[in-house]
Amino acid sequence: MTDDPLPTEHLSPLATLVDEVLAGVGYEVAAATDAIDDAVPGYGGLFGPATTPAELRRALERTSGSAQPSVPEPTSDTFVLYVDGSSRGNPGPAGAGAVITDAAGDQLARLGRPVGSRTGNNTAEYVALQLGLSELLARYEPRRLEVRIDSMTVIRDVWGGNDPTEPGVETYSEAVTAALSSIPEHQYTHLADSDPNPADALATVGADIAAFGPG
């Protein structure tokens, strides 16, 4: 799993702490949420309406050293990566989600994180792709990869050879290009809005975290 947190846009101190906990468990949303919920006293949890910012901050500080989850064994060196970004208000609170599956369709990782408190959807899509690729390469040695993504902007930039059209995404774009260059065979599949995307719910969780105010 990646050793250092991936870059973010502007986040509140509270959302930044959540992102640090996520980074510590390889951005596995379920593992991070369970660790935080276990550390919150009484009723509540990460998204519990009864959890105060002070309680959440104390819980986050206690979970900073949470153990990373185990890495499942894939069936081969062929993978599928679902990615999605979510932005409320575009720009607004934004999150990124990614799901890694093996060739048999078994889910190996469910990843999510906040991106920024006033971030556009295309930036969130870039971050989702970077997130998925970073964790895929940290955990496995992929030879073939299919990326399933609904953002035509990212597809045109990454696979079409266009210069990034979204301001401020150069850091993410360069990281994505470098990651893909280390995978011998890769291609994309464009997902229509009606196509199921398991990364969508994880991007929504990331946007929920990005919406956390000062704390």
Side-chain angles (χ1 to χ4, degrees), residues 108-194:
L108 305 173
R110 292 177 51 81
L111 315 171
R113 65 180 306 218
V115 176
S117 59
R118 43 180 183 269
T119 300
N121 189 69
N122 285 329
T123 300
E125 294 275 355
Y126 263 109
V127 174
L129 183 53
Q130 181 196 19
L131 169 64
L133 290 171
S134 295
E135 286 299 327
L136 174 65
L137 291 171
R139 303 176 191 208
Y140 305 109
E141 296 181 1
R143 178 166 183 79
R144 295 185 249 342
L145 173 66
E146 178 191 357
V147 177
R148 298 182 182 175
I149 182 172
D150 63 10
S151 171
M152 284 305 302
T153 296
V154 176
I155 288 172
R156 284 192 295 266
D157 292 352
V158 174
W159 285 275
N162 294 356
D163 290 333
T165 54
E166 186 80 4
V169 300
E170 290 79 13
T171 298
Y172 311 118
S173 175
E174 291 170 3
V176 164
T177 299
L180 288 173
S181 70
S182 67
I183 302 174
E185 299 176 31
H186 58 83
Q187 64 183 43
Y188 72 86
T189 295
H190 177 242
L191 297 178
D193 291 341
S194 57

Side-chain angles (χ1 to χ4, degrees), residues 30-107:
T33 301
D34 288 346
I36 294 168
D37 288 353
D38 288 345
V40 174
Y43 171 78
L46 178 60
F47 297 114
T51 304
T52 67
E55 287 176 327
L56 183 53
R57 173 175 280 277
R58 287 194 295 271
L60 292 168
E61 291 170 347
R62 286 198 295 271
T63 56
S64 59
S66 299
Q68 293 189 349
S70 60
V71 176
E73 286 293 328
T75 55
S76 70
D77 57 5
T78 298
F79 298 86
V80 175
L81 173 62
Y82 290 88
V83 298
D84 195 33
S86 174
S87 175
R88 295 178 190 154
N90 197 25
V99 173
I100 301 170
T101 77
D102 61 17
D106 295 327
Q107 292 190 2

